[in-house]
Amino acid sequence: MPSQKIMDRLAAGETLLLDGGTGSELQRRGADVLKGATDKLKAWSATANIEFADVVGQVHQDYLRVGADVIISNNFWTNPSRLGTIGLGDRWEEHAQAAGRIALSARDAGNPEAYVAGGTMEYDPNYPGRWFNSAYLFGPTGELLIRYRKINGADVQGHTTYSTPPALYDLYVKTEGGEDALFPVVDTPIGRLGVINCYDINFPEMVRTFA
């Protein structure tokens, strides 16, 4: 990966790459991601982290091989409610953790300087009875650089109740050490990085806040 800053690379006309679709690519390579679904998806690609781990890793490595600067772990729907639709709700942590391990291992093998992003449901004992829809970013040496908790979202997802930091604003800001915890960013050799997830993409002012 080039060490120039993101803005310098863009100004020079260079193209920065994020990986592409994972679930659809797994399906194209023969992984069973439908699990009998016809009109509505169930757990989609979540179970591939256990059943087709080698294929998941190869997808990540292929994106790195063509120059991706960042890959995203296969954590889509690795949560209790979605895995519960196929009777695996009590094994969600196994599938979620496998996704992270596979992505980090693929990064180490394919391009040790790349970054790994992803997201999953997260329980924090500092907030009893609450869940967060969280995103994360790992650096080239495997350290957790950012943990971001989704700002924009409903309080119910299937049978899993989850919260956004604004729903617990005073407690959250006090516990996490200030308002900067709401929009974490990190300065890296390639520039300032932040992560958002899911519905947050509809709120461009969030990206401006990160910048």
Side-chain angles (χ1 to χ4, degrees):
M1 178 192 299
S3 60
Q4 294 96 333
K5 298 286 187 179
I6 290 174
M7 297 307 296
D8 294 338
R9 293 170 63 184
L10 291 174
E14 186 176 344
T15 299
L16 277 68
L17 296 178
L18 185 68
D19 65 358
T22 301
S24 55
E25 182 62 16
L26 289 169
Q27 185 181 41
R28 190 184 72 83
R29 299 187 187 201
D32 180 11
V33 295
L34 293 178
K35 295 297 181 184
T38 54
D39 59 333
K40 292 184 178 180
L41 296 178
K42 295 181 179 180
W44 189 226
S45 60
T47 58
N49 298 318
I50 303 297
E51 298 176 352
F52 299 94
D54 291 345
V55 183
V56 176
Q58 190 59 57
V59 170
H60 289 319
Q61 288 197 45
D62 285 347
Y63 282 129
L64 291 166
R65 180 176 54 80
V66 297
D69 297 278
V70 182
I71 59 172
I72 303 173
S73 64
N74 184 44
N75 277 106
F76 187 61
W77 282 351
T78 55
N79 60 56
S81 59
R82 298 310 304 188
L83 282 165
T85 63
I86 56 172
L88 295 174
D90 60 343
R91 295 179 58 192
W92 75 272
E93 290 179 278
E94 178 185 356
H95 290 79
Q97 292 169 4
R101 287 195 301 271
I102 294 168
L104 290 170
S105 178
R107 185 275 309 277
D108 293 344
N111 177 6
E113 295 184 34
Y115 291 77
V116 174
T120 189
M121 298 300 293
E122 176 194 10
Y123 179 77
D124 187 334
N126 288 318
Y127 309 95
R130 302 280 188 166
W131 291 75
F132 295 95
N133 189 349
S134 299
Y136 52 77
L137 179 72
F138 287 96
T141 61
E143 75 278 23
L144 178 63
L145 299 177
I146 291 175
R147 180 187 63 194
Y148 162 77
R149 287 164 169 169
K150 184 179 178 183
I151 294 291
N152 301 288
D155 281 335
V156 176
Q157 181 188 37
H159 68 264
T160 303
T161 299
Y162 77 95
S163 299
T164 62
L168 308 163
Y169 186 83
D170 291 338
L171 174 62
Y172 193 85
V173 169
K174 179 180 179 180
T175 302
E176 303 301 323
E179 292 183 332
D180 287 347
L182 296 171
F183 301 100
V185 296
V186 60
D187 290 312
T188 76
I190 63 170
R192 176 167 291 184
L193 301 179
V195 291
I196 60 176
N197 58 358
C198 196
Y199 190 62
D200 285 329
I201 198 172
N202 293 295
F203 300 88
E205 60 270 22
M206 289 188 57
V207 179
R208 300 189 189 105
T209 299
F210 284 123

